[in-house]
Amino acid sequence: MPSVIPLLNGYSLTSDQGNPAFCSVQLVESGDERVLFDFGHVGRRRKLLTALKDLALEPPDITKVVVSHGHWDHLQNADLFRDAEVFIHPAELRNLADPPATDFGTPPWANAILADLKLRETGEGDEVIHGVTVIELPGHTPGSIGLLVSGDTVLAADAVPTLDVLRSRKASGRPYDREQADASVERVAKLADVVYPGHDRAIRGFEYTEDATPLEFRVP
């Protein structure tokens, strides 16, 4: 049975000096297999390593990692996991190679973070581990993806960054494609009983879950 363990909580923060951008980082476990979904930025590197250590884990214990999208606040710590297979959508790789100047979340140096990592292009329906599959959630960026756990739980990253976005069914911020982004929010709302957003706490039935304990799921 896969379990989702929040390693770092996401926060939606703003200031008159910019956005601190603390994203959610989740660990998905099934038997001896461990998948990390997103990484956070280098300002949280020590906190991420501590969260793993609290579970008696180190970066080499993570065999697979999933890049939801290439924005700096989700990608920067990917280099900690050099032994892992890195799942990323091909459209996101293309965007990282030549990001538009209007995308301040994907600076030109972002692509260098993935240098020398074991990249695996992925897309809709690919199984990462048993009971955990990739779902495409484009719009926020061209190749944004999430994870579907046991058919009713979605790790959504910035396709659904907050509870307010899920309730409104409208994407926030400045997505690459507004129509696609709104459709991705709608897809998550219809598909998931539990949502792990990119910059908020876990949500069940459009309300925050009561605690942050791991959720267990049965796989058919």
Side-chain angles (χ1 to χ4, degrees), residues 123-146:
E124 181 73 24
D126 284 353
E127 187 172 69
V128 182
I129 58 176
H130 183 52
V132 180
T133 57
V134 172
I135 60 171
E136 295 181 357
L137 299 171
H140 181 69
T141 64
S144 290
I145 58 175

Side-chain angles (χ1 to χ4, degrees), residues 5-50:
I5 303 171
L7 290 183
L8 298 180
N9 289 325
Y11 300 95
S12 183
L13 304 173
T14 58
S15 76
D16 61 0
Q17 299 296 311
N19 188 341
F22 291 153
C23 79
S24 302
V25 179
Q26 286 98 18
L27 178 69
V28 184
E29 292 188 329
S30 182
D32 294 331
E33 297 187 283
R34 300 181 183 91
V35 179
L36 193 69
F37 183 73
D38 280 346
F39 316 97
H41 58 67
V42 293
R44 305 183 84 191
R45 182 171 292 224
R46 185 176 299 171
K47 186 69 173 177
L48 175 58
L49 291 171
T50 298

Side-chain angles (χ1 to χ4, degrees), residues 48-68:
L48 175 58
L49 291 171
T50 298
L52 288 170
K53 186 177 180 180
D54 288 344
L55 297 173
L57 298 174
E58 295 182 354
D61 296 312
I62 308 300
T63 56
K64 297 178 180 180
V65 298
V66 177
V67 179
S68 71

Side-chain angles (χ1 to χ4, degrees), residues 75-179:
L75 184 66
Q76 282 188 350
N77 289 323
D79 65 296
L80 289 172
F81 304 94
R82 294 191 173 276
D83 297 326
E85 190 174 23
V86 181
F87 288 70
I88 187 169
H89 196 279
E92 203 66 12
L93 281 175
R94 291 192 294 271
N95 191 64
L96 281 163
D98 187 24
T102 53
D103 181 3
F104 296 114
T106 310
W109 47 259
N111 195 41
I113 296 170
L114 299 177
D116 302 323
L117 298 184
K118 301 172 184 176
L119 299 183
R120 173 175 169 177
E121 294 186 5
T122 193
E124 181 73 24
D126 284 353
E127 187 172 69
V128 182
I129 58 176
H130 183 52
V132 180
T133 57
V134 172
I135 60 171
E136 295 181 357
L137 299 171
H140 181 69
T141 64
S144 290
I145 58 175
L147 289 181
L148 179 63
V149 180
S150 299
D152 63 0
T153 295
V154 173
L155 279 59
D158 285 2
V160 180
T162 65
L163 174 60
D164 287 343
V165 166
L166 189 63
R167 284 175 169 166
S168 71
R169 308 288 183 95
K170 297 292 183 182
S172 61
R174 297 179 178 86
Y176 271 58
D177 186 306
R178 172 67 62 180
E179 184 176 351

